[in-house]
Amino acid sequence: MLVFWEHGYEGAGTALLTRAMGISTTSMCAAFGNKEQLFRKVLERYSDGPGGYFARAMEEPTAHAVASAVLGGVVGTTTLPARPSGCLGVQSALAVSCSGEPVRALLADWRDEAYTRVRDRLRRAAEEGDLPASADPALLARHLTALAHGIAVQAASGVPREELRELADASLRAWPPF
């Protein structure tokens, strides 16, 4: 997972992957099939592990708490000490060649699923009266997920955790922003 997280899908060569796992290429292929199938397993592990904050955020009792948990989680996860900066799913999608098109599509679906989950949770908040009647749950979800992905890119670029936290806090002070 750390190899893909640090180097992205394209940059994570077989030699790096097998060295990190302490196995041969033959063993890697026997265990996972190919690099793409290994990456799919890694993305699941990331989503359940470091990215697990997202599922927990969807369980928060209010729309503001959902947004706070998503942004706090992305800041925390993308700036973990002794871990690669940024988000595995975002980093791996930034530079994918034509041969990696299935992975690009997988990651687009992964990000779209996050948007859909946030949108559905915010629709529920609107139905419960937790958002103003004028709020557009779909637009709020797009805003929140775009901000979260942008924070991940900024973290990968070296923006410090404190600065990213300030960005998240500024957005939350205006919640809902429209």
Side-chain angles (χ1 to χ4, degrees):
M1 179 176 72
L2 294 175
V3 172
F4 281 119
W5 194 349
E6 182 176 356
H7 298 281
Y9 179 77
E10 291 286 325
T14 303
L16 280 173
L17 292 166
T18 55
R19 187 170 39 251
M21 291 186 286
I23 61 175
S24 69
T25 302
T26 304
S27 295
M28 185 181 93
C29 290
F32 300 104
N34 61 28
K35 181 179 168 182
E36 180 187 331
Q37 291 170 324
L38 172 61
F39 182 77
R40 288 174 183 276
K41 292 284 188 194
V42 164
L43 189 59
E44 287 175 22
R45 181 174 178 181
Y46 178 85
S47 295
D48 292 339
Y53 70 86
F54 184 82
R56 291 187 299 276
M58 295 305 105
E59 301 302 319
E60 291 291 335
T62 67
H64 188 274
V66 168
S68 182
V70 167
L71 295 179
V74 75
V75 168
T77 299
T78 62
T79 59
L80 285 170
R83 293 286 174 104
S85 297
C87 168
L88 175 124
V90 173
Q91 290 299 104
S92 294
L94 292 178
V96 179
S97 67
C98 293
S99 65
E101 187 56 39
V103 170
R104 183 190 319 270
L106 169 70
L107 292 168
D109 290 345
W110 183 75
R111 289 187 307 275
D112 191 54
E113 179 185 337
Y115 159 76
T116 299
R117 290 179 67 190
V118 172
R119 183 200 63 207
D120 292 349
R121 176 61 184 89
L122 296 180
R123 280 182 179 162
R124 190 176 94 212
E127 291 166 3
E128 294 170 352
D130 183 43
L131 286 172
S134 61
D136 179 344
L139 185 57
L140 284 172
R142 189 62 73 197
H143 171 81
L144 184 59
T145 55
L147 181 58
H149 294 135
I151 287 171
V153 171
Q154 292 293 302
S157 300
V159 175
R161 177 183 280 216
E162 300 75 32
E163 206 173 310
L164 296 173
R165 183 72 249 169
E166 289 174 9
L167 172 64
D169 290 346
S171 180
L172 291 168
R173 281 192 297 274
W175 184 262
F178 23 79

